[in-house]
Amino acid sequence: MRFHFPVCILTLAVMLNIAPAAVFTFVPNEQVFSNLDQIELKNVYFPVQGNIKLAPKFVSLCSLDDAGIWSIDLDRSQNIYLGTGNQQRLYRLGARARQPQPIFSADAGEILTVTTTPDNTIYFGTSPDGIIYRILPRGEPESLFATNESYIHALLPAPEKSLLCATGPNGKLFRITPDRGSDLIFTAPSAHITCLYWLSSGRELLLGTSPGGTVYHLKFTSIGAKPEVAVLYDTPLDEVRAIVADSRSIYVAANPGEQPSPNPGPNQPVVYCLDKEGLVKWQWLCPESVVFSLAQFNNQLLVLTGNRGIVYTLDSLGQPAVICRLNEPQAVACISSNNRLYLGTANPARLYYADFGFADSGFVTSPVFDCSSPARFGKIELRARVPAGTEIHLDTRSGNRELPDSLWTNWQEAKGKIASPPARFIQWRCRFYSNLSNASPELERVDIYYQGVNRPPVISRLEINPVSEPDARRGNAQPKRQITWEAQDPDYDSLVYQLYLKPEEETSWLELKKDLAEPRYELDTRTIPDGWYRLRLVALDAPDRPEKTALSAERVSLPFAIDNTPPVISEIGVSGNRASWKVSDNLSTIVACRISINAGDWQPLEPEDGIFDSSEERFSTTFAPIKGINTIAVWATDAQGNAVTRRASFTSR
């Protein structure tokens, strides 16, 4: 699909007697987020509006022979635990190890949730068998509790070494205390409790459900007591997928169902920002198909999405930015610890890490800009902040195919002047460098100047308005005829017109008018002899182009008749009670004829051959003559509305 400047402003600067210069101006805006596939980026923070700069560098730690990493957690020794599927494996990656080691596996299924407790015990839940396992320090995995549910969606440490367990498909929330067993503390009206989050540790719990997409608020007045349950927020979507909070706000990620909802509301993922009372402060409609997870990282809210592998950040006002685009289509799970973020993907499963601070290098490309025709390139200008210890460089490449391929030129650095050769399409790349983890260059705007090859105007229509058939049949001649046309210039140049006329059989053109600014002209045909003529229109882009480069186009009309002479009525004769006559015209078809006998009403007649299709028609009619002198009046008109009347008298005995 061709990219027609969704994130740029096209400006045409036209000056007197100077060919118009064109500028592609690039600034990030909302349209870029509907065209992210047109842009390449690496280690770059790309906001919906604002400056582009370096982002944290996401480094691949390892790849797994699994469908996806669904859950990540760390113990006190910074060992990483990865819950995966579809072979229900749990991996441990030691702090100094290069490859993770499987410590639990089954034939099939998922480990959707892994969590660690302050005493360094590891818990994980398996699906679809619904069993909770634990790993004691220096121990092996052991079965702890069978929920009799199919799915364990979330595990969350609770006071007194207990554990909360969210399940499906019966929407049950269990509290498991290893020494005292388990109890059911809440059953949701929805099939699945999908996520858990402590708003206040041990006292206020938030949980999300599916279907129904509801966020519940559970208050615990004492340890071991049943909670007080209230609805914090009921989303219009199908699934609440993730909940996180900070000191000011609660963030909820919700996804639509697989089928479009019949209820009012969005049919795309939404991230809601709520206050502690459940009022919506803002919401962000995510352009991806699904949100998998939310996390707090470096004082930003991370949004992990699929199916383009994009990780977004949202600021305090809900304004998005792309912080990472992975090779894998689904960014699924993450956790941050000790100024480092760990992120897991699906299809395939891969583990990444990113440190706080800026990467040492990165780049972003523009969309492909279409000059519409081969163009010469001039300057390239950028507005940027470049702190000490950082650098920023611009490159360009050009080509005549819609998408960059091997036939495009290589990237060439542009130092003020574009080095890429003339072509129809051009693209720029901005490279960022930093020697400091806390400093980055910032790109605000890029302007590309180019000079397109002048293209001639296009005349799509030229015609002279005919006399309408109803007017002609009524004898309404229109000697003043409107000439109209349509013309455009592909370079948006202003146009002037010259109009000519000639008899069809001649070769010389008569100038009717020059320097016409409007696409119309009124021709008074009374000053022109009858005959068949053609029009010739010339359109010129001279107002906006120097004389040497100005171009023109012309169009010749179809032949048309100029006829201001009425028909001739002749050969009127009477024989008994029948009258006959002939109507003829030098140029035009006869279109109507009427007769009046002895000053009676006009009566329309058809030709003897039954059709008006000739410049000569014969007519006859019968009538009842009176004794004495009779008067016949004949009226006729041609296709140009020229009318004639003739009278004849005779005596009847």
Side-chain angles (χ1 to χ4, degrees), residues 135-212:
I135 305 175
L136 295 171
R138 295 182 296 278
E140 297 295 325
E142 59 181 354
S143 175
L144 177 66
F145 176 62
T147 63
N148 295 320
E149 296 288 306
S150 297
Y151 300 97
I152 298 178
H153 296 292
L155 297 172
L156 186 64
E160 294 192 343
K161 299 183 179 181
S162 62
L163 185 72
L164 298 183
C165 172
T167 68
N170 295 301
K172 293 181 178 180
L173 178 65
F174 295 96
R175 176 167 41 213
I176 297 106
T177 305
D179 297 334
R180 298 193 297 273
S182 65
D183 61 314
L184 178 64
I185 59 174
F186 175 66
T187 301
S190 301
H192 299 273
I193 299 177
T194 53
C195 54
L196 302 171
Y197 187 86
W198 282 119
L199 188 59
S200 174
S201 182
R203 296 170 140 322
E204 296 182 73
L205 178 72
L206 300 179
L207 60 86
T209 65
S210 174

Side-chain angles (χ1 to χ4, degrees), residues 229-498:
V229 180
V231 172
L232 179 72
Y233 186 67
D234 187 15
T235 77
L237 288 91
D238 183 74
E239 174 196 50
V240 171
R241 183 61 184 244
I243 303 172
V244 297
D246 56 27
S247 60
R248 299 179 303 275
S249 303
I250 299 167
Y251 306 97
V252 176
N255 292 314
E258 294 183 0
Q259 299 297 326
S261 172
N263 301 321
N267 282 312
Q268 64 188 95
V270 179
V271 176
Y272 297 93
C273 176
L274 312 175
D275 67 12
K276 299 301 174 65
E277 303 302 320
L279 296 176
V280 177
K281 298 165 71 172
W282 51 257
Q283 64 183 41
W284 176 61
L285 273 67
C286 176
E288 309 303 323
S289 58
V290 61
V291 172
F292 285 106
S293 184
L294 300 176
Q296 297 283 348
F297 176 63
N298 199 15
N299 297 319
Q300 294 178 311
L301 179 68
L302 292 189
V303 185
L304 279 62
T305 71
N307 289 311
R308 295 192 293 174
I310 296 178
V311 181
Y312 294 91
T313 68
L314 299 179
D315 64 16
S316 60
L317 298 177
Q319 294 295 307
V322 175
I323 194 173
C324 178
R325 183 159 60 194
L326 304 168
N327 294 326
E328 297 74 24
Q330 296 169 330
V332 178
C334 65
I335 190 171
S336 61
S337 176
N338 292 339
N339 294 332
R340 175 170 284 193
L341 176 79
Y342 296 94
L343 186 150
T345 70
N347 298 312
R350 179 165 292 171
L351 181 66
Y352 290 87
Y353 78 88
D355 293 323
F356 283 20
F358 297 110
D360 57 4
S361 64
F363 73 86
V364 62
T365 68
S366 73
V368 173
F369 296 117
D370 185 355
C371 303
S372 300
S373 65
R376 294 180 293 108
F377 304 110
K379 293 191 303 181
I380 184 168
E381 295 180 340
L382 70 123
R383 294 184 63 179
R385 293 180 61 253
V386 187
T390 71
E391 296 179 13
I392 193 167
H393 299 273
L394 279 175
D395 310 310
T396 63
R397 61 180 177 179
S398 61
N400 287 313
R401 291 173 63 88
E402 191 171 325
L403 297 176
D405 58 14
S406 60
L407 299 179
W408 274 52
T409 64
N410 294 325
W411 290 109
Q412 296 174 273
E413 186 168 2
K415 297 181 178 180
K417 185 77 172 177
I418 296 173
S420 299
R424 174 176 171 177
F425 301 96
I426 189 167
Q427 184 182 34
W428 56 256
R429 177 181 67 182
C430 186
R431 292 177 285 127
F432 301 79
Y433 299 95
S434 178
N435 293 321
L436 306 170
S437 63
N438 62 349
S440 169
E442 297 186 17
L443 177 66
E444 178 181 341
R445 170 181 173 136
V446 176
D447 294 302
I448 288 181
Y449 292 84
Y450 72 96
Q451 173 65 63
V453 174
N454 188 24
R455 292 171 293 174
V458 176
I459 304 172
S460 55
R461 181 179 64 84
L462 171 62
E463 61 188 25
I464 183 167
N465 293 349
V467 178
S468 69
E469 183 177 349
D471 282 339
R473 290 174 65 85
R474 288 191 289 266
N476 295 332
Q478 296 177 11
K480 291 186 176 181
R481 307 275 292 280
Q482 286 290 326
I483 301 170
T484 59
W485 57 89
E486 291 180 1
Q488 300 82 30
D489 190 274
D491 302 314
Y492 306 100
D493 294 333
S494 300
L495 299 177
V496 293
Y497 307 99
Q498 297 171 353

